[in-house]
Amino acid sequence: MLQDESLDDFLDAFLGEKGHQKPEKKRWPTPAIPINTDNLAAVAMVHKDMKEPIAKKKLSKRTWVAIVMILVIIPLTIWFGIRFMGDRKYYFISMGIIVYTFVPFLMVFEGRKPQARELIIIAILAAIGVAGRAAFFMLPQFKPVVAVVIIAGVCFGAESGFLVGAMVGFVSNFFFGQGPWTPWQMFSFGIIGFLAGILFRKGLLKSSKPQLCVYGFLATFFIYGGIMNMSSLLMWSSIITWKSVLAVYITGAPFDLIHASATVFFLFVASKPMIEKLERIKKKYGLIER
Amino acid sequence: MEDSFSTYHPIINFFYFSVILIISMFFNHPMILGISLISAILYAVVLQGWKKALKFNLLFMLPMLIIVALINPLFNHSGVTILFYLDNGNPITLESIIYGLVMSVMLIQVIIWFSCYNIIMTSDKFIYLFGRIIPALSLIFSMVLRFVPKFKAQLKVISNGQKCIGRDITNGNILMRARHGVTILSIMVTWALENAIETADSMKARGYGLKGRTAFSLYRFDNRDKGMFGVMLILLVIFIIGVSMGNTFVQYNPIIIINGIVPMSLSSFFTYFIFLVFCLIPVAVDGFSAMKWQKMKEVIPEKTKCAEIRVGIEAQ
């Protein structure tokens, strides 16, 4: 309980302090600040140094980075893109912002010097995701990655969910080929796991089968599909009209539907035993004390 | 053929590919695109051999080029040179066709460059580069890469064990086979998790995360790398100066404006030439080392007499 309270205090202070800066973010309203602060929810789960950044220092290094990024780097990217990139400005700016959203995650994670056990659990889950994607490679878009990422988010918190997702996206592309799509995939997988962790913590998502399946379907279809379709449009063309957006989403819909059904299938089959196993490991070795 | 560009320091490899990929992703001047595409194909041929590279390009890239090039004029009707009208009254313009072509060339060359990147920037180089900036994540990354083959091997062990008690995926009717498969996967996951904790404890016992620990790496930033880095930086600076002079400005919409080709000024020619040199660095490096090897072979007097020397040189 105390964790929640101190977290909420911090969120209030943090958001109140920086409320006036919000309009600076133009095109991608969500990433930097919310991710940054909400991440503390995940940090707090690892109980050891959770109070320190919240209570003692007024502005942590991470906050400074976020401020610099929002006030300086992102506007600079937008200006640079519009000024110099001509036709490619949309792709340049969106790609830049996607890459920046990783920075707060990396800083939070690296900054608190994670324990070996934590690292290895994330690695194991990511490896299961990669192996799963490799096992079903002959069926296009039929991949269990999102299911694994959601389970990771639910069992080990939002931050782990994000890291597992981003890691699966990155490593599996070593087997399937890296490309301009890699950062987008990493971000989409990551954010699905992140949201799953947040929703579970806030009590909006239960670890019951039907709820997970519904979340899995919606997340895959709207978040993953939404981001990846848009990214391919940005990659292919630079004159973005409502018509072309619609066309991309319509052509992408069947693939997203297959992907979403695959997620539902894997969550339906594997979520219960998988969560049981993870909870057992957590209890047996005291991974996360509540 | 052995690629000698990949023997340079990982920083050199990574820097080269970052620059090339950024330029080819964000510049759509036809000259830059053409140079980049040709160099990408050339390097892919050097790395993968004629057959594989050509097969890849013809089988996957050509259809992609045509599809992407055709899609653009269907959705994009801007441009002043109207060629004809579609049935629904939308115009097809010359500008949108050319733009579709440009975008498809851009997409293809990025993919070809990435196919070269995948060969040169192996995962160990990546871990080496990022191990200091993001140590925890690099460790996770390398563990994931390790776990995948480990899982595969362990799956075999479990599967064989189950086979001995008649519960393998080859035993029974289709329903039982599926059930056996699920059991095997379940055993697999449990084993993986337990094994992970064991690994973590072992890491902790050996002092993971303590201060003053060093990491071993094979790479050394020697004079050859310094020279190469200098050359790359100089070329890049000249290219950026050329770009800022407007030599790569291009506009496709609503009218096509292409700077620097007709009439080609000295400075624009120089800009393109510098870019060509930059693109061809790996190919040139490979060519030079092949020539060097040829020369060294000529020095060797006779095959039979100097078999031992040859063995020695080849081993290098």
Side-chain angles (χ1 to χ4, degrees):
Chain A
M1 280 305 107
L2 191 105
Q3 289 180 14
D4 284 340
E5 272 170 28
S6 55
L7 174 72
D8 286 343
D9 285 349
F10 177 71
L11 283 181
D12 290 344
F14 192 87
L15 292 176
E17 212 171 61
K18 305 217 320 183
H20 61 284
Q21 288 157 4
K22 275 204 160 171
E24 287 293 328
K25 296 183 296 170
K26 283 180 188 156
R27 280 167 42 83
W28 293 75
T30 32
I33 293 185
I35 285 169
N36 203 356
T37 49
D38 279 335
N39 236 340
L40 281 157
V43 179
M45 289 181 74
V46 191
H47 77 93
K48 61 178 168 62
D49 54 4
M50 66 157 219
K51 273 167 214 140
E52 199 183 319
I54 299 166
K56 276 184 192 165
K57 294 175 210 159
K58 260 193 150 180
L59 285 178
S60 65
K61 201 173 150 198
R62 194 169 60 242
T63 317
W64 275 113
V65 170
I67 290 172
V68 168
M69 224 150 66
I70 293 161
L71 288 181
V72 182
I73 299 181
I74 290 181
L76 207 67
T77 311
I78 294 172
W79 172 80
F80 187 83
I82 292 171
R83 179 80 179 73
F84 293 109
M85 284 302 164
D87 275 348
R88 302 297 286 161
K89 58 178 174 275
Y90 298 116
Y91 187 58
F92 179 79
I93 294 167
S94 53
M95 181 88 146
I97 292 175
I98 283 278
V99 172
Y100 300 151
T101 51
F102 290 116
V103 174
F105 279 102
L106 300 188
M107 287 192 64
V108 172
F109 190 66
E110 297 287 350
R112 70 188 161 84
K113 299 255 181 301
Q115 296 295 303
R117 280 182 171 182
E118 207 185 332
L119 292 183
I120 220 150
I121 287 290
I122 292 173
I124 281 280
L125 288 168
I128 291 173
V130 174
R133 191 176 169 196
F136 290 94
F137 83 99
M138 61 297 218
L139 304 170
Q141 289 299 321
F142 197 84
K143 40 192 174 194
V145 176
V146 178
V148 173
V149 170
I150 289 173
I151 291 170
V154 165
C155 287
F156 291 97
E159 191 195 22
S160 305
F162 185 89
L163 290 172
V164 169
M167 208 39 106
V168 173
F170 185 59
V171 178
S172 64
N173 281 351
F174 270 88
F175 298 98
F176 294 94
Q178 304 282 1
W181 47 80
T182 305
W184 303 86
Q185 275 184 338
M186 287 169 70
F187 180 77
S188 325
F189 285 140
I191 210 72
I192 289 173
F194 185 75
L195 273 181
I198 294 277
L199 291 176
F200 181 72
R201 217 180 136 68
K202 292 280 172 199
L204 295 171
L205 180 73
K206 300 273 178 317
S207 62
S208 71
K209 214 183 259 182
Q211 283 207 22
L212 284 179
C213 287
V214 169
Y215 174 74
F217 187 86
L218 295 178
T220 316
F221 194 79
F222 289 105
I223 300 178
Y224 186 84
I227 294 175
M228 291 314 290
N229 286 336
M230 200 59 208
S231 83
S232 61
L233 180 67
L234 288 164
M235 253 180 273
W236 284 16
S237 85
S238 1
I239 297 153
I240 288 150
T241 59
W242 284 112
K243 243 185 195 170
S244 60
V245 171
L246 199 68
V248 158
Y249 277 103
I250 289 172
T251 45
F255 294 99
D256 293 335
L257 215 58
I258 297 173
H259 192 189
S261 330
T263 306
V264 171
F265 170 77
F266 285 113
L267 279 175
F268 188 81
V269 175
S271 68
K272 201 167 161 249
M274 194 70 195
I275 289 176
E276 266 172 14
K277 281 182 207 305
L278 291 175
E279 290 298 328
R280 175 179 158 277
I281 281 285
K282 256 165 46 177
K283 211 175 266 175
K284 181 174 174 187
Y285 294 101
L287 282 186
I288 288 156
E289 289 144 34
R290 299 201 178 226
Chain B
M1 191 176 102
E2 185 80 12
D3 178 70
S4 52
F5 183 64
S6 65
T7 61
Y8 280 78
H9 196 269
I11 290 177
I12 301 286
N13 296 155
F14 191 73
F15 179 72
Y16 174 80
F17 278 110
S18 319
V19 170
I20 283 288
L21 284 167
I22 287 170
I23 290 176
S24 47
M25 254 188 252
F26 297 118
F27 281 69
N28 50 10
H29 191 275
M31 214 45 192
I32 300 288
L33 283 180
I35 291 170
S36 178
L37 179 67
I38 290 167
S39 328
I41 293 174
L42 210 62
Y43 194 32
V45 166
V46 169
L47 286 177
Q48 305 167 353
W50 275 108
K51 268 189 190 165
K52 212 183 159 195
L54 269 187
K55 208 171 131 194
F56 176 73
N57 284 327
L58 290 179
L59 265 182
F60 296 104
M61 295 295 106
L62 208 62
M64 203 174 203
L65 189 138
I66 294 165
I67 291 169
V68 177
L70 282 179
I71 284 174
N72 190 57
L74 290 180
F75 293 108
N76 175 7
H77 306 296
S78 48
V80 289
T81 322
I82 294 166
L83 295 179
F84 58 89
Y85 286 89
L86 289 175
D87 289 343
N88 61 4
N90 280 325
I92 294 289
T93 61
L94 181 68
E95 281 83 1
S96 65
I97 290 177
I98 289 179
Y99 189 71
L101 214 64
V102 166
M103 291 313 286
S104 55
V105 169
M106 174 181 284
L107 187 71
I108 284 166
Q109 46 132 334
V110 168
I111 291 174
I112 300 174
W113 274 123
F114 261 112
S115 75
C116 300
Y117 171 95
N118 285 336
I119 295 171
I120 302 296
M121 281 302 292
T122 49
S123 48
D124 57 324
K125 286 186 183 174
F126 190 86
I127 292 167
Y128 169 74
L129 280 182
F130 289 92
R132 279 180 220 157
I133 315 168
I134 41 172
L137 282 168
S138 306
L139 184 64
I140 292 183
F141 169 67
S142 82
M143 283 196 291
V144 174
L145 282 177
R146 167 78 190 97
F147 281 148
V148 173
K150 199 177 177 188
F151 283 5
K152 238 188 216 163
Q154 185 65 21
L155 202 61
K156 190 127 205 192
V157 172
I158 295 170
S159 175
N160 284 339
Q162 292 289 306
K163 202 182 246 169
C164 293
I165 50 173
R167 286 179 191 168
D168 190 41
I169 38 169
T170 50
N171 301 114
N173 60 23
I174 193 143
L175 209 71
M176 282 169 77
R177 283 179 188 201
R179 191 170 296 161
H180 293 156
V182 171
T183 316
I184 290 174
L185 282 184
S186 163
I187 297 170
M188 177 71 224
V189 171
T190 308
W191 174 86
L193 290 170
E194 294 273 347
N195 181 61
I197 297 291
E198 228 163 76
T199 313
D201 289 348
S202 161
M203 277 166 66
K204 204 174 175 191
R206 283 151 217 244
Y208 169 75
L210 294 182
K211 265 187 188 162
R213 292 176 62 82
T214 53
F216 170 73
S217 83
L218 278 172
Y219 306 107
R220 202 157 44 91
F221 201 82
D222 55 20
N223 286 334
R224 187 183 65 154
D225 295 311
K226 278 178 204 158
M228 179 57 88
F229 198 57
V231 168
M232 279 180 170
L233 276 183
I234 291 167
L235 290 176
L236 195 62
V237 167
I238 298 173
F239 179 69
I240 289 171
I241 293 170
V243 169
S244 63
M245 283 164 72
N247 286 323
T248 60
F249 177 80
V250 69
Q251 179 194 315
Y252 294 99
N253 187 22
I255 354 167
I256 299 179
I257 301 171
I258 299 173
N259 271 14
I261 293 188
V262 189
M264 190 178 276
S265 66
L266 196 64
S267 78
S268 67
F269 172 78
F270 198 60
T271 311
Y272 307 142
F273 180 72
I274 289 292
F275 182 62
L276 180 69
V277 172
F278 190 89
C279 282
L280 289 179
I281 285 175
V283 178
V285 166
D286 286 352
F288 276 129
S289 63
M291 261 161 52
K292 206 172 175 186
W293 172 231
Q294 276 299 326
K295 255 187 196 163
M296 281 166 88
K297 258 207 273 192
E298 281 163 17
V299 175
I300 303 167
E302 267 175 57
K303 282 178 190 169
T304 44
K305 267 186 187 173
C306 303
E308 283 175 25
I309 301 172
R310 264 196 82 166
V311 168
I313 291 169
E314 270 172 352
Q316 283 174 4

